[in-house]
Short mmCIF file of all heavy atoms in Angstrom, two decimals:
data_model
loop_
_atom_site.label_atom_id
_atom_site.label_comp_id
_atom_site.label_asym_id
_atom_site.label_seq_id
_atom_site.Cartn_x
_atom_site.Cartn_y
_atom_site.Cartn_z
N GLN D 3 -48.35 46.36 3.23
CA GLN D 3 -47.49 45.96 2.14
C GLN D 3 -47.28 44.46 2.20
O GLN D 3 -47.21 43.84 3.26
CB GLN D 3 -46.15 46.62 2.25
CG GLN D 3 -46.24 48.13 1.95
CD GLN D 3 -44.87 48.74 1.91
OE1 GLN D 3 -43.86 48.08 1.88
NE2 GLN D 3 -44.87 50.06 1.93
N GLY D 17 -42.72 24.49 5.26
CA GLY D 17 -43.06 23.29 4.49
C GLY D 17 -44.43 23.39 3.86
O GLY D 17 -45.03 22.43 3.46
N ALA D 18 -44.94 24.63 3.72
CA ALA D 18 -46.32 24.79 3.22
C ALA D 18 -46.36 25.29 1.79
O ALA D 18 -47.42 25.53 1.28
CB ALA D 18 -47.06 25.80 4.11
N SER D 24 -51.36 25.19 -4.35
CA SER D 24 -52.51 24.47 -4.84
C SER D 24 -53.83 25.07 -4.38
O SER D 24 -54.89 24.62 -4.73
CB SER D 24 -52.44 22.99 -4.42
OG SER D 24 -52.55 22.92 -3.00
N THR D 45 -34.67 42.15 -11.36
CA THR D 45 -35.21 42.29 -12.71
C THR D 45 -36.74 42.20 -12.62
O THR D 45 -37.28 41.21 -12.13
CB THR D 45 -34.68 41.22 -13.66
OG1 THR D 45 -33.28 41.27 -13.71
CG2 THR D 45 -35.24 41.42 -15.06
N ALA D 46 -37.41 43.24 -13.05
CA ALA D 46 -38.86 43.32 -12.98
C ALA D 46 -39.38 43.86 -14.34
O ALA D 46 -38.83 44.78 -14.90
CB ALA D 46 -39.37 44.18 -11.84
N CYS D 47 -40.42 43.19 -14.85
CA CYS D 47 -40.96 43.59 -16.20
C CYS D 47 -42.46 43.62 -16.11
O CYS D 47 -43.07 42.84 -15.46
CB CYS D 47 -40.53 42.60 -17.26
SG CYS D 47 -38.74 42.53 -17.49
N VAL D 51 -50.90 44.36 -22.04
CA VAL D 51 -51.83 43.65 -22.90
C VAL D 51 -53.10 44.50 -23.05
O VAL D 51 -53.95 44.54 -22.16
CB VAL D 51 -52.20 42.24 -22.29
CG1 VAL D 51 -53.25 41.56 -23.15
CG2 VAL D 51 -50.95 41.40 -22.15
N TYR D 53 -54.87 44.33 -26.08
CA TYR D 53 -55.39 43.78 -27.33
C TYR D 53 -56.17 42.48 -27.03
O TYR D 53 -55.90 41.80 -26.05
CB TYR D 53 -54.23 43.48 -28.30
CG TYR D 53 -53.09 42.78 -27.65
CD1 TYR D 53 -53.08 41.39 -27.49
CD2 TYR D 53 -51.99 43.48 -27.12
CE1 TYR D 53 -52.05 40.75 -26.85
CE2 TYR D 53 -50.93 42.82 -26.49
CZ TYR D 53 -50.98 41.47 -26.34
OH TYR D 53 -49.93 40.83 -25.71
N PHE D 59 -52.00 37.15 -27.90
CA PHE D 59 -52.01 36.86 -26.48
C PHE D 59 -51.28 35.53 -26.20
O PHE D 59 -50.50 35.44 -25.26
CB PHE D 59 -53.42 36.81 -25.92
CG PHE D 59 -53.45 36.65 -24.44
CD1 PHE D 59 -53.09 37.68 -23.60
CD2 PHE D 59 -53.87 35.45 -23.85
CE1 PHE D 59 -53.10 37.55 -22.21
CE2 PHE D 59 -53.89 35.29 -22.47
CZ PHE D 59 -53.49 36.33 -21.66
N GLN D 61 -48.86 34.33 -27.93
CA GLN D 61 -47.45 34.63 -28.07
C GLN D 61 -46.91 35.35 -26.83
O GLN D 61 -45.79 35.10 -26.40
CB GLN D 61 -47.20 35.47 -29.32
CG GLN D 61 -45.74 35.73 -29.59
CD GLN D 61 -44.92 34.45 -29.75
OE1 GLN D 61 -45.29 33.56 -30.53
NE2 GLN D 61 -43.81 34.32 -29.05
N ASN D 65 -43.84 34.15 -24.60
CA ASN D 65 -42.69 35.02 -24.26
C ASN D 65 -42.46 35.05 -22.75
O ASN D 65 -41.31 35.01 -22.28
CB ASN D 65 -42.88 36.40 -24.78
CG ASN D 65 -42.68 36.50 -26.29
OD1 ASN D 65 -42.57 35.49 -26.98
ND2 ASN D 65 -42.71 37.71 -26.81
N ASN D 68 -40.80 31.84 -21.69
CA ASN D 68 -39.39 31.90 -22.02
C ASN D 68 -38.61 32.85 -21.12
O ASN D 68 -37.44 32.53 -20.77
CB ASN D 68 -39.20 32.31 -23.49
CG ASN D 68 -39.73 31.28 -24.47
OD1 ASN D 68 -39.96 30.14 -24.11
ND2 ASN D 68 -39.96 31.71 -25.69
N TYR D 70 -39.30 33.53 -17.93
CA TYR D 70 -39.05 32.78 -16.66
C TYR D 70 -37.99 31.70 -16.83
O TYR D 70 -37.12 31.56 -15.99
CB TYR D 70 -40.35 32.20 -16.15
CG TYR D 70 -41.27 33.08 -15.40
CD1 TYR D 70 -42.59 33.32 -15.80
CD2 TYR D 70 -40.82 33.78 -14.24
CE1 TYR D 70 -43.42 34.14 -15.09
CE2 TYR D 70 -41.63 34.61 -13.55
CZ TYR D 70 -42.96 34.77 -13.97
OH TYR D 70 -43.77 35.64 -13.26
N ALA D 79 -35.33 36.06 -8.66
CA ALA D 79 -34.50 36.72 -9.69
C ALA D 79 -35.31 37.54 -10.62
O ALA D 79 -34.80 38.53 -11.20
CB ALA D 79 -33.71 35.66 -10.48
N VAL D 83 -45.18 41.13 -14.15
CA VAL D 83 -46.60 41.47 -13.97
C VAL D 83 -47.17 41.70 -15.39
O VAL D 83 -46.45 42.12 -16.31
CB VAL D 83 -46.85 42.68 -13.09
CG1 VAL D 83 -46.30 42.45 -11.70
CG2 VAL D 83 -46.32 43.94 -13.68
N LEU D 124 -46.14 35.09 -11.76
CA LEU D 124 -46.88 36.06 -12.55
C LEU D 124 -48.00 36.66 -11.80
O LEU D 124 -48.82 35.94 -11.18
CB LEU D 124 -47.38 35.42 -13.84
CG LEU D 124 -48.19 36.36 -14.75
CD1 LEU D 124 -47.35 37.46 -15.37
CD2 LEU D 124 -48.91 35.55 -15.81
N GLU D 134 -65.61 49.17 -16.03
CA GLU D 134 -66.66 50.16 -15.83
C GLU D 134 -67.15 50.73 -17.18
O GLU D 134 -68.37 50.75 -17.47
CB GLU D 134 -66.16 51.31 -15.00
CG GLU D 134 -67.18 52.38 -14.67
CD GLU D 134 -66.60 53.46 -13.81
OE1 GLU D 134 -65.73 53.21 -12.98
OE2 GLU D 134 -66.99 54.63 -14.03
N ASN D 136 -66.97 49.52 -20.17
CA ASN D 136 -67.59 48.52 -21.03
C ASN D 136 -68.74 47.75 -20.39
O ASN D 136 -69.19 46.76 -20.93
CB ASN D 136 -66.50 47.55 -21.55
CG ASN D 136 -65.54 48.25 -22.46
OD1 ASN D 136 -65.89 48.71 -23.54
ND2 ASN D 136 -64.32 48.37 -22.01
N VAL D 138 -68.85 45.78 -17.92
CA VAL D 138 -68.55 44.39 -17.57
C VAL D 138 -68.45 44.34 -16.04
O VAL D 138 -67.59 44.98 -15.47
CB VAL D 138 -67.23 43.90 -18.19
CG1 VAL D 138 -66.86 42.49 -17.74
CG2 VAL D 138 -67.27 44.02 -19.73
N LYS D 140 -67.31 43.55 -12.45
CA LYS D 140 -66.07 43.02 -11.94
C LYS D 140 -66.19 41.56 -11.49
O LYS D 140 -65.18 40.83 -11.50
CB LYS D 140 -65.57 43.88 -10.78
CG LYS D 140 -65.00 45.22 -11.19
CD LYS D 140 -64.45 45.93 -9.94
CE LYS D 140 -63.75 47.19 -10.29
NZ LYS D 140 -63.18 47.83 -9.09
N GLU D 141 -67.36 41.13 -11.15
CA GLU D 141 -67.58 39.76 -10.68
C GLU D 141 -67.30 38.75 -11.82
O GLU D 141 -67.21 37.55 -11.55
CB GLU D 141 -69.01 39.59 -10.15
CG GLU D 141 -69.29 40.36 -8.90
CD GLU D 141 -69.50 41.88 -9.12
OE1 GLU D 141 -69.87 42.28 -10.25
OE2 GLU D 141 -69.31 42.64 -8.18
N ALA D 143 -64.63 38.73 -13.55
CA ALA D 143 -63.19 38.40 -13.54
C ALA D 143 -62.98 37.09 -12.85
O ALA D 143 -63.65 36.76 -11.84
CB ALA D 143 -62.41 39.51 -12.87
N ILE D 156 -53.41 51.60 -17.96
CA ILE D 156 -52.32 52.32 -18.58
C ILE D 156 -51.53 53.13 -17.53
O ILE D 156 -50.31 53.22 -17.61
CB ILE D 156 -52.82 53.23 -19.74
CG1 ILE D 156 -51.69 53.69 -20.62
CG2 ILE D 156 -53.65 54.40 -19.24
CD1 ILE D 156 -51.00 52.58 -21.39
N PHE D 167 -39.53 48.89 -13.44
CA PHE D 167 -39.95 47.76 -14.27
C PHE D 167 -39.64 48.05 -15.72
O PHE D 167 -39.89 49.14 -16.24
CB PHE D 167 -41.47 47.53 -14.16
CG PHE D 167 -41.94 46.87 -12.88
CD1 PHE D 167 -41.85 47.52 -11.67
CD2 PHE D 167 -42.45 45.56 -12.92
CE1 PHE D 167 -42.30 46.89 -10.51
CE2 PHE D 167 -42.88 44.95 -11.75
CZ PHE D 167 -42.83 45.63 -10.53
#
Side-chain angles (χ1 to χ4, degrees):
Q3 290 186 13
S24 66
T45 302
C47 297
V51 177
Y53 46 84
F59 185 71
Q61 184 59 50
N65 286 9
N68 292 344
Y70 278 123
V83 301
L124 177 69
E134 182 181 326
N136 292 295
V138 177
K140 285 183 173 181
E141 295 76 23
I156 196 66
F167 283 69

